[in-house]
Amino acid sequence: MMRKFLGSALAACMLLSWSGSASTQELTVATPNDPSVDPHYLYLSTNAAYARHIFGKLVDRDENARIKPGLAVSWANVDDLTWEFKLREGVKFHDGSDFDADDVIFSVNRIPNVPNNPASYVSNTNMIDTITATDPYSIVIKTKDPYPLLLRRISGVSIVSSEAVEGGTTADFSSGKIAVGTGPYKFSEYIPGDRYVLARNEDYWGDKPAYEKVTFRIMPDAASRVAALLGGDVDIVEGFSPSSVETLEQRDGFYVAKRASARTLWLYIDTSNDASPFVTDSDGNPMDVNPLKDVRVRQALAMAIDRAAIVERIMGGLAEEANQLVPMGWFSHNPDIENPPLDAEGAKALLAEAGYPDGFGLTVHAPNDRYVNDGKIAQAVAQMLARIGIDAKVETMPKSVYFGRLNKQEFSLSMIGWDNSLTGSSLMSLSAAFHTREPDRGYGGWNAGGYSNAMFDSAIESAEQEFDMTRHEELLNEAMHILIQEDRAAIPLHSQFTILGVRDGVDYTPRVDEHFSAMLAAPAG
Amino acid sequence: MTNSPLERQSPVRRFWNEYSESKVAAFAFFVLCAIVLTAFAGPFLTIQNPYDLAQISILDSSMPPGSESMDGATFFLGTDDQGRDLLSAIVYGLRISLLVGVVSGALAVVMGTAIGIFSAYAGGRIDNAIMRVVDLFLGFPSFLIALICLAVLGRGADKVVLALVLSQWANFARIVRGVAIVEREKEYMEAAKGLALPKTRIVFGHLLPNCMPPLIVVSTMNVAFSITLEASLSFLGVGLPITEPSLGLLISNGYEYILTGKHWMSVYPGVALLITVASINLVADRLRDVFNPRLNK
């Protein structure tokens, strides 16, 4: 009996010490995000990041958001409407079947037809008029209108196996039954809310990743993720809190990987509802007018926001103040746009002029598990609004609830963070989040403020069809100017940094789009 | 039965003498009184109203204990990550915690007692049916019930109270029924029935008072439990709005900084919670001893 006990204790010790010394072949990542295994379901950048592991694309974006060949080896823009692609030959899906043009056509056609999809990838395919195969390894895409950014758009289209996926559902992806792609990793196991395990695809056509097995541990709590890293349970922590950066940098055995990202946080303003859901008068009673429709009120809100304080006190300096929806230095950043000066008295005067000398009640909505310090930023914004006489409240909720409600325009002032790397410009955010909602044409799919301005819309539509990149940028800059400087229809806050905590012994360089990629991790040395 | 300390003729003095035989319990009682007084006098004592967004500033955030604010006031316990003075926030947090604890405790006692007594007095099938419902509620952990309620109801102090009542009334119903069933069979009840007194008088005038001693002990303990439960719910981010943090939410906010050396953000609210709950429990423990006839000399 005693011997048996000793034996099992010894075995347990060995097991513990073995799992403690992280093997060079295995990578464990603590992440706050549950994946959608179906690469065409729920378009969030966290899901796009997961999809890159299992699925390939015709063209992909590298870690600096530049276009690089993927399943297409070459392409040509024959005329304004026609694009030809040569596909990579000899590529195998994880189930051993061959990749060819049928899979591309199947994937493009599947995207608009995923049932009950809360956020579709259709904005990446709806400019496509026809897609045809001229032979098994050549396809021709014709767009409805001239569309210079087609390559960037289809870099957001994951290619699934037509044979495996035909007739399958999103749930079949989650169970792993049809999670069949051509990517560097294969599906191995997914336990919702707990872990997502991938195994290296030994037949991958490109550079093979360094780690044989990657385990994503899903841990929504930031402090627990840090503790898991310090305790040696995980190698990398995604969504590392700025408040813990200093601590980690002082510790031996760990380092912080950080990089200014393409994600800008801003606040949507409900500019269209006649009575906004979370606006009350100064006594807390519902109002039958929506003060946010008045540009003077929006100007006052913009004048209340102290971005320097947010960057310094909440983000620990790891963010950059924003005055528009793309970070400085990016294509289509309009240098003529400025934030109004921070001026509480001026803001109060504007509110009085608009007919609200006593302010009004307004709730700031934000997720509490999506962006760096999202809940704290919302509270800080509310503080700043309180200073100009607005009775501000804050409500935060998990992203699973938040984004559904946001996109139904259920909020009055609400936070979002937009990654600009897909188009590498302001085009995607402007056309999805502020163009008048026109689902058939793929516009305004995220227009959660109900903004609608004909001049803005036409600038976006022209920009989208403009092949001359100088003119293209001018049009985007014009649209941004209308939206921010003239209409103040959104309040830019800051561009965040992507921050990861990493164990020494693992090399990791973040991507500019914040997508975590196990392919970029390698044993040090 | 005749020397029950709750009968009107027995003076408070005698009760206190017996209670204060335990010095620890007496001390806990004074601590508790001090906490309650501080909580209620809070708005006159603190340097700011931490729930008024216009009075706090993130420029004052994460300052260590003893720092001075921009306008010269001193943050004795430092500030949290939104720039709230922690001392003020703790005092206001105590107000909420005590209020939620006492109100939900009282409502749960009233509801549980009414149902328990009715069940015991009615007996038979009705008793059986009611007790199965009670079993159903007791079958789930009270934390789970509260969590489900808040997920459905949303945020706010009133909703937290409702959630706590729903998760706790069944306990009281079970206890009161147990006591009442024993009492029901005693001679004084037969005498009351024999005198053909009205049912309400029998129940409220005779049955209820004799069920009181265990009820007082359990409900006191329950206040401590409610406070802890509310703190746990807040810690998880359900319950009260984030701009009006109770103790649990203050601890939760500071928890993120515990590894960064800014320990004051969660340690001080934690200590406040600890002292409050411990003193209530000590008082309840002593009450149980005082009311327990077997321990009486």
Coordinates of all heavy atoms in Angstrom, one line a residue, chain A residues 115-155:
Chain A
P115 N -25.6 31.0 -42.0 CA -26.8 31.4 -41.3 C -26.5 32.0 -39.9 O -25.5 31.7 -39.3 CB -27.6 30.1 -41.1 CG -26.7 29.0 -41.5 CD -25.5 29.6 -42.2
N116 N -27.4 33.0 -39.5 CA -27.4 33.6 -38.2 C -26.0 34.2 -37.9 O -25.5 34.1 -36.8 CB -27.7 32.6 -37.1 CG -29.1 32.0 -37.3 OD1 -30.0 32.6 -37.7 ND2 -29.1 30.7 -37.0
N117 N -25.4 34.8 -38.9 CA -24.1 35.4 -38.7 C -24.2 36.8 -38.1 O -24.6 37.7 -38.8 CB -23.3 35.4 -40.0 CG -21.9 35.6 -39.8 OD1 -21.4 36.0 -38.7 ND2 -21.1 35.4 -40.9
P118 N -23.8 37.0 -36.9 CA -23.9 38.4 -36.3 C -23.0 39.4 -36.9 O -23.3 40.6 -36.9 CB -23.5 38.2 -34.8 CG -23.0 36.8 -34.7 CD -23.1 36.1 -35.9
A119 N -21.9 39.0 -37.5 CA -21.0 40.0 -38.2 C -20.4 39.2 -39.4 O -19.5 38.4 -39.2 CB -20.0 40.6 -37.3
S120 N -20.8 39.5 -40.6 CA -20.4 38.7 -41.7 C -19.2 39.2 -42.4 O -18.8 40.4 -42.2 CB -21.6 38.7 -42.7 OG -21.1 38.2 -44.0
Y121 N -18.5 38.4 -43.1 CA -17.3 38.8 -43.8 C -17.7 39.3 -45.2 O -16.8 39.5 -46.1 CB -16.3 37.6 -44.0 CG -15.6 37.2 -42.8 CD1 -16.2 36.5 -41.7 CD2 -14.2 37.5 -42.7 CE1 -15.5 36.2 -40.6 CE2 -13.5 37.1 -41.5 CZ -14.1 36.4 -40.5 OH -13.4 36.1 -39.4
V122 N -19.0 39.5 -45.4 CA -19.5 39.8 -46.8 C -18.9 41.1 -47.3 O -18.8 41.3 -48.5 CB -21.0 39.8 -46.8 CG1 -21.5 41.0 -46.1 CG2 -21.5 39.8 -48.2
S123 N -18.4 42.0 -46.4 CA -17.9 43.3 -46.9 C -16.6 43.0 -47.7 O -16.1 43.9 -48.4 CB -17.6 44.2 -45.7 OG -16.7 43.6 -44.8
N124 N -16.0 41.8 -47.5 CA -14.8 41.5 -48.3 C -15.1 40.8 -49.6 O -14.1 40.6 -50.4 CB -13.9 40.5 -47.4 CG -13.3 41.3 -46.2 OD1 -13.2 42.5 -46.2 ND2 -13.0 40.5 -45.2
T125 N -16.3 40.5 -49.9 CA -16.6 39.8 -51.1 C -17.7 40.4 -51.9 O -17.9 40.1 -53.1 CB -17.1 38.3 -50.8 OG1 -18.2 38.4 -50.0 CG2 -16.0 37.5 -50.2
N126 N -18.4 41.4 -51.3 CA -19.6 41.9 -52.1 C -19.3 42.7 -53.3 O -20.2 43.0 -54.1 CB -20.5 42.6 -51.1 CG -19.9 43.9 -50.7 OD1 -18.7 44.0 -50.7 ND2 -20.7 44.9 -50.3
M127 N -18.0 43.1 -53.5 CA -17.7 43.9 -54.7 C -17.5 42.9 -55.9 O -17.4 43.3 -57.0 CB -16.5 44.7 -54.5 CG -15.1 44.0 -54.4 SD -15.0 42.9 -53.0 CE -15.2 44.0 -51.6
I128 N -17.5 41.6 -55.5 CA -17.3 40.6 -56.6 C -18.6 40.4 -57.4 O -19.6 40.1 -56.8 CB -16.7 39.3 -56.0 CG1 -15.4 39.5 -55.4 CG2 -16.7 38.2 -57.0 CD1 -14.8 38.3 -54.6
D129 N -18.5 40.5 -58.7 CA -19.6 40.3 -59.5 C -19.7 38.8 -59.9 O -20.6 38.1 -59.6 CB -19.6 41.2 -60.8 CG -20.9 41.1 -61.6 OD1 -21.9 40.7 -61.0 OD2 -20.8 41.3 -62.8
T130 N -18.6 38.3 -60.5 CA -18.5 36.9 -60.9 C -17.1 36.4 -60.5 O -16.1 37.1 -60.6 CB -18.7 36.7 -62.4 OG1 -17.7 37.4 -63.1 CG2 -20.1 37.1 -62.8
I131 N -17.1 35.1 -60.2 CA -15.8 34.5 -60.0 C -15.9 33.1 -60.8 O -16.8 32.3 -60.6 CB -15.5 34.3 -58.5 CG1 -14.2 33.5 -58.3 CG2 -16.6 33.7 -57.7 CD1 -13.6 33.5 -56.9
T132 N -14.9 33.0 -61.7 CA -15.0 31.8 -62.6 C -13.6 31.1 -62.7 O -12.6 31.8 -62.5 CB -15.4 32.1 -64.0 OG1 -14.7 33.3 -64.4 CG2 -16.9 32.3 -64.1
A133 N -13.6 29.8 -62.9 CA -12.4 29.1 -63.0 C -12.1 28.9 -64.5 O -13.0 28.4 -65.2 CB -12.4 27.7 -62.3
T134 N -11.0 29.3 -65.0 CA -10.7 29.0 -66.4 C -10.0 27.7 -66.6 O -10.1 27.0 -67.6 CB -9.8 30.2 -67.1 OG1 -8.7 30.5 -66.1 CG2 -10.6 31.4 -67.3
D135 N -9.2 27.3 -65.6 CA -8.8 25.9 -65.5 C -8.6 25.6 -64.0 O -8.8 26.6 -63.2 CB -7.5 25.7 -66.3 CG -6.3 26.4 -65.7 OD1 -5.9 26.2 -64.5 OD2 -5.7 27.3 -66.4
P136 N -8.2 24.4 -63.5 CA -8.2 24.1 -62.1 C -7.3 25.1 -61.3 O -7.5 25.2 -60.1 CB -7.8 22.7 -62.0 CG -8.1 22.1 -63.3 CD -8.0 23.2 -64.3
Y137 N -6.4 25.7 -61.9 CA -5.4 26.6 -61.2 C -5.4 28.0 -61.7 O -4.4 28.7 -61.4 CB -4.0 25.9 -61.2 CG -4.0 24.6 -60.4 CD1 -4.1 23.4 -61.0 CD2 -4.1 24.6 -59.0 CE1 -4.1 22.2 -60.3 CE2 -4.1 23.5 -58.3 CZ -4.1 22.3 -58.9 OH -4.2 21.1 -58.2
S138 N -6.5 28.4 -62.3 CA -6.6 29.8 -62.7 C -8.0 30.3 -62.5 O -9.0 29.6 -62.8 CB -6.3 30.0 -64.2 OG -5.1 29.4 -64.6
I139 N -8.1 31.5 -61.9 CA -9.5 32.0 -61.7 C -9.5 33.5 -62.2 O -8.5 34.2 -62.2 CB -10.0 31.9 -60.3 CG1 -9.1 32.7 -59.3 CG2 -10.3 30.5 -59.8 CD1 -9.7 32.8 -57.9
V140 N -10.7 33.9 -62.6 CA -10.9 35.3 -63.0 C -12.0 35.9 -62.1 O -13.1 35.3 -61.9 CB -11.3 35.4 -64.5 CG1 -11.7 36.8 -64.8 CG2 -10.3 34.8 -65.4
I141 N -11.7 37.0 -61.5 CA -12.7 37.7 -60.7 C -13.1 39.0 -61.4 O -12.2 39.7 -61.9 CB -12.1 38.1 -59.3 CG1 -12.0 36.8 -58.5 CG2 -13.1 39.0 -58.6 CD1 -11.4 37.0 -57.1
K142 N -14.4 39.2 -61.6 CA -14.9 40.4 -62.2 C -15.6 41.2 -61.1 O -16.5 40.6 -60.4 CB -15.8 40.1 -63.3 CG -15.1 39.8 -64.6 CD -16.0 40.1 -65.8 CE -15.3 39.9 -67.2 NZ -14.4 41.0 -67.5
T143 N -15.3 42.4 -60.9 CA -16.0 43.2 -59.9 C -17.1 44.0 -60.5 O -17.1 44.3 -61.7 CB -15.0 44.2 -59.2 OG1 -14.4 45.0 -60.2 CG2 -13.9 43.5 -58.5
K144 N -18.1 44.4 -59.6 CA -19.2 45.1 -60.1 C -18.8 46.5 -60.6 O -19.3 47.0 -61.6 CB -20.3 45.3 -59.0 CG -20.9 43.9 -58.6 CD -21.7 44.1 -57.3 CE -22.1 42.8 -56.7 NZ -22.4 42.9 -55.3
D145 N -18.0 47.1 -59.8 CA -17.4 48.5 -60.2 C -15.9 48.4 -60.1 O -15.4 47.4 -59.5 CB -18.0 49.5 -59.1 CG -19.5 49.6 -59.2 OD1 -20.0 49.9 -60.3 OD2 -20.1 49.4 -58.1
P146 N -15.2 49.4 -60.6 CA -13.8 49.3 -60.4 C -13.5 49.2 -58.9 O -14.1 50.0 -58.1 CB -13.3 50.7 -61.0 CG -14.4 51.1 -61.9 CD -15.7 50.5 -61.4
Y147 N -12.5 48.4 -58.5 CA -12.3 48.2 -57.1 C -10.8 47.9 -56.9 O -10.3 46.8 -56.8 CB -13.1 47.0 -56.6 CG -13.3 47.1 -55.1 CD1 -14.4 47.8 -54.6 CD2 -12.3 46.6 -54.2 CE1 -14.6 47.9 -53.2 CE2 -12.5 46.8 -52.8 CZ -13.6 47.4 -52.4 OH -13.8 47.6 -51.0
P148 N -10.0 49.0 -56.7 CA -8.6 48.9 -56.6 C -8.1 48.1 -55.4 O -7.0 47.6 -55.4 CB -8.1 50.4 -56.5 CG -9.3 51.2 -56.1 CD -10.5 50.5 -56.7
L149 N -8.9 48.1 -54.3 CA -8.4 47.4 -53.1 C -8.9 46.0 -53.0 O -8.9 45.4 -52.0 CB -8.9 48.2 -51.9 CG -8.4 49.6 -51.7 CD1 -8.9 50.2 -50.4 CD2 -6.8 49.5 -51.7
L150 N -9.2 45.4 -54.2 CA -9.6 44.0 -54.2 C -8.6 43.1 -53.5 O -9.1 42.2 -52.7 CB -9.8 43.5 -55.6 CG -10.4 42.1 -55.7 CD1 -11.8 42.0 -55.3 CD2 -10.1 41.4 -57.0
L151 N -7.3 43.2 -53.7 CA -6.4 42.3 -53.1 C -6.5 42.4 -51.6 O -6.4 41.4 -50.9 CB -4.9 42.7 -53.6 CG -4.6 42.4 -55.0 CD1 -3.2 42.8 -55.3 CD2 -4.7 40.9 -55.3
R152 N -6.6 43.6 -51.1 CA -6.7 43.7 -49.6 C -7.9 43.1 -49.1 O -7.9 42.5 -48.0 CB -6.6 45.2 -49.2 CG -5.3 45.9 -49.7 CD -4.9 47.0 -48.8 NE -4.4 46.6 -47.5 CZ -3.1 46.4 -47.3 NH1 -2.1 46.8 -48.1 NH2 -2.7 46.0 -46.1
R153 N -9.0 43.3 -49.8 CA -10.3 42.7 -49.4 C -10.2 41.2 -49.3 O -10.6 40.6 -48.4 CB -11.4 43.1 -50.3 CG -11.9 44.6 -50.1 CD -12.5 44.7 -48.7 NE -13.1 46.0 -48.6 CZ -13.7 46.4 -47.4 NH1 -13.8 45.6 -46.4 NH2 -14.3 47.6 -47.4
I154 N -9.7 40.6 -50.4 CA -9.7 39.1 -50.4 C -8.6 38.6 -49.5 O -8.5 37.4 -49.2 CB -9.5 38.5 -51.8 CG1 -8.3 39.0 -52.5 CG2 -10.8 38.8 -52.7 CD1 -8.0 38.2 -53.8
S155 N -7.7 39.4 -48.9 CA -6.8 39.0 -47.9 C -7.6 38.7 -46.6 O -7.0 38.2 -45.6 CB -5.7 40.0 -47.7 OG -6.2 41.1 -46.9

